[in-house]
Amino acid sequence: MSADKSGEIDLEYELDDRPPWLESILLGIQHVAVMIVPATAVAFIVAGEVGLDAANTAYIVQMVLLFSGLATVVQAYTVGPVGSRLPIVMGTSFTFVGAAATVGIDYGLSAVFGAILVTGFVVEGLIGWQFNRIKPFFPPLVTGLVVAIIGLYLVPVGMDYSAGGVGAADYGAAYNIGLAALVLGVAIALNLFTDGATRLLSTLAGIAVGYAVAIPLGVVDFGPVTSAAWVAIPQPGAFGLSFEPVPIVTFAFLFLVSAMETVGDMSGITAAEGRNPTDEEFRGGLLTDGLLSSVASIFGAFPVTSFSQNVGIVNFTGVMSRHVVGVAGVILAVLGLSPKVGAAVTTIPSAVFGGAVLLMAGMVAASGVRLIFLHTNLDRRNMVVVAASLGLGLGIATRPEALHGLPQAAQTFFGQPVIVTALTALVLNTFAPGDQSPLFETADDGTLADTPEQPTVTDD
């Protein structure tokens, strides 16, 4: 895969292309295989923290899969103004893990789902609906930094998975590192040195080879498959809904971050075509995040948002077809209706998954860097914005204990690397004079005008 002067990569399948059905299914499975473990891990982590039994845990996992699939299909094909018509795979983000667990313990899961119901649509939905008004505040410099920090932040997660998973008794064991290296090596080799289907399915092939090797090593646990039910029906209000001020404010901030992540992910997707998303794509994508998250909360699912790993797959394979992602959404929804099938997929060992995440995280970060390079003049002003944003974000990611002297609420908010990077980039880019600032305009001679003006606002 190469890039032309505009940054567009050589796409095997473009946005509206329809690959043959068998190839589409395999490519869709590849998308599912990369995101299903972290998506369901969010449910497992929160359920464990609040002390749910196995049956309720399995139900939440089922709902996460079901609504991830439904939201993915909506993104690919749209329902009215909801959906972007872009190849965006949706799932439950780790952004919400800490807050969901803490609020669940202090207030109960009903307060968690009540807060999601309110803030999903009100915060992210309204941002999507009125994106024309706030778009000037999210130029490529800001969105590119958000994409980059998402990828960089996932690298340690990928390393932890590659070592066997945080807290695992065999963390760092040689066979875990070997499995991750095998997956990584197979995926890279097939992508760089082969053509056709083997290149397009390189990530899935790496996971398959790693899984096959893991079985005789005895690190694949089939226990969850035997204990899971074949079919389970969604139940509205399964955990109740209650509305508490503190949880609502907490999730409102997190949905603001989720909106920034989605803006960054959408920019990372369209960067494969050497462009930024259109206003309509931004609006539809953000509306999907907010509205589908609110609907999902009624049935007991955590917020669904765009998955950065799958942005990496699009750029890594050159397959941008939204129809492939639509197939992935259908697969996810079917898995959500069949807990036994979903349980079989989640038997993928952490180390096998980790090898794939490392590769995808690097591709996401690279997509963010490319987005900045293509659309930003890296002069002194913009270099300072990049340096401050990434420095603070990575500082928080690597040394979160540095914030322990702050109040707990501040630790929760500023302990998120994506929040810190996004807000730093947003504030600096807005108030520092420059061609990407919405508060300053460029004069005819290329210098900044003396009088800053507000960005033009147009009615929808």
Side-chain angles (χ1 to χ4, degrees):
M1 224 172 343
S2 63
D4 62 21
K5 293 181 180 179
S6 69
E8 177 181 355
I9 64 176
D10 293 332
L11 295 174
E12 188 72 22
Y13 293 108
E14 297 186 2
L15 186 61
D16 292 316
D17 288 346
R18 293 178 181 268
W21 270 109
L22 178 59
E23 194 170 321
S24 293
I25 292 171
L26 292 175
L27 289 167
I29 291 173
Q30 179 171 251
H31 274 291
V32 171
V34 169
M35 60 76 64
I36 193 168
V37 174
T40 55
V42 172
F44 280 118
I45 292 170
V46 176
E49 290 290 326
V50 301
L52 291 184
D53 58 24
N56 282 320
T57 300
Y59 175 78
I60 291 182
V61 170
Q62 176 196 348
M63 291 300 98
V64 165
L65 291 173
L66 175 62
F67 281 95
S68 295
L70 294 177
T72 299
V73 172
V74 170
Q75 285 284 30
Y77 296 108
T78 73
V79 176
V82 183
S84 63
R85 292 185 182 272
L86 290 176
I88 298 174
V89 176
M90 305 288 285
T92 301
S93 170
F94 277 96
T95 301
F96 298 94
V97 170
T102 301
V103 172
I105 293 171
D106 295 341
Y107 296 88
L109 282 178
S110 63
V112 172
F113 295 122
I116 296 170
L117 175 62
V118 172
T119 57
F121 176 74
V122 171
V123 176
E124 197 162 5
L126 287 180
I127 289 175
W129 192 259
Q130 297 296 322
F131 191 75
N132 276 348
R133 302 174 187 272
I134 67 170
K135 181 184 176 182
F137 294 89
F138 293 90
L141 178 60
V142 175
T143 56
L145 283 167
V146 173
V147 174
I149 195 62
I150 290 171
L152 294 172
Y153 180 54
L154 285 172
V155 170
V157 175
M159 285 301 297
D160 281 333
Y161 275 114
S162 298
V166 176
D170 59 351
Y171 184 89
Y175 58 83
N176 283 329
I177 301 300
L179 285 172
L182 176 63
V183 174
L184 187 63
V186 170
I188 290 176
L190 291 179
N191 190 280
L192 292 180
F193 302 110
T194 67
D195 293 310
T198 53
R199 182 179 67 80
L200 300 182
L201 299 171
S202 53
T203 306
L204 179 60
I207 293 174
V209 170
Y211 191 82
V213 173
I215 293 175
L217 291 178
V219 295
V220 178
D221 179 17
F222 292 105
V225 180
T226 58
S227 61
W230 281 104
V231 178
I233 305 302
Q235 302 172 15
F239 298 96
L241 296 168
S242 62
F243 306 97
E244 301 286 345
V246 172
I248 289 174
V249 172
T250 301
F251 276 92
F253 281 124
L254 291 176
F255 270 110
L256 175 62
V257 175
S258 179
M260 291 182 181
E261 289 180 0
T262 298
V263 168
D265 285 342
M266 293 174 71
S267 299
I269 286 284
T270 58
E273 293 182 324
R275 67 177 180 90
N276 275 318
T278 65
D279 292 350
E280 185 179 2
E281 288 169 340
F282 271 133
R283 182 184 298 111
L286 291 168
L287 283 174
T288 304
D289 266 27
L291 184 59
L292 267 294
S293 292
S294 292
V295 173
S297 68
I298 299 173
F299 292 87
F302 298 118
V304 290
T305 187
S306 59
F307 249 55
S308 303
Q309 294 96 322
N310 299 87
V311 177
I313 283 186
V314 170
N315 284 273
F316 188 61
T317 62
V319 177
M320 195 177 175
S321 169
R322 62 190 175 95
H323 303 294
V324 166
V325 166
V327 170
V330 173
I331 294 171
L332 283 168
V334 171
L335 294 178
L337 293 174
S338 179
K340 188 174 285 291
V341 176
V345 178
T346 59
T347 60
I348 300 172
S350 293
V352 172
F353 173 69
V357 171
L358 280 176
L359 186 58
M360 294 305 103
M363 288 300 295
V364 171
S367 296
V369 172
R370 186 176 67 199
L371 189 64
I372 295 172
F373 282 155
L374 288 178
H375 302 284
T376 302
N377 177 25
L378 288 178
D379 54 16
R380 178 183 57 82
R381 181 261 193 195
N382 291 337
M383 286 289 287
V384 170
V385 175
V386 172
S389 303
L390 290 182
L392 289 172
L394 289 175
I396 293 300
T398 55
R399 292 293 183 269
E401 61 273 12
L403 301 181
H404 283 180
L406 299 179
Q408 186 58 47
Q411 289 184 44
T412 300
F413 184 75
F414 292 107
Q416 300 290 331
V418 177
I419 287 181
V420 173
T421 298
L423 289 182
T424 302
L426 183 62
V427 171
L428 290 180
N429 183 71
T430 298
F431 293 103
D435 59 356
Q436 295 206 37
S437 171
L439 301 184
F440 299 87
E441 66 176 5
T442 303
D444 293 337
D445 61 357
T447 61
L448 289 174
D450 294 332
T451 306
E453 295 183 2
Q454 295 295 327
T456 302
V457 176
T458 57
D459 292 331
D460 292 333

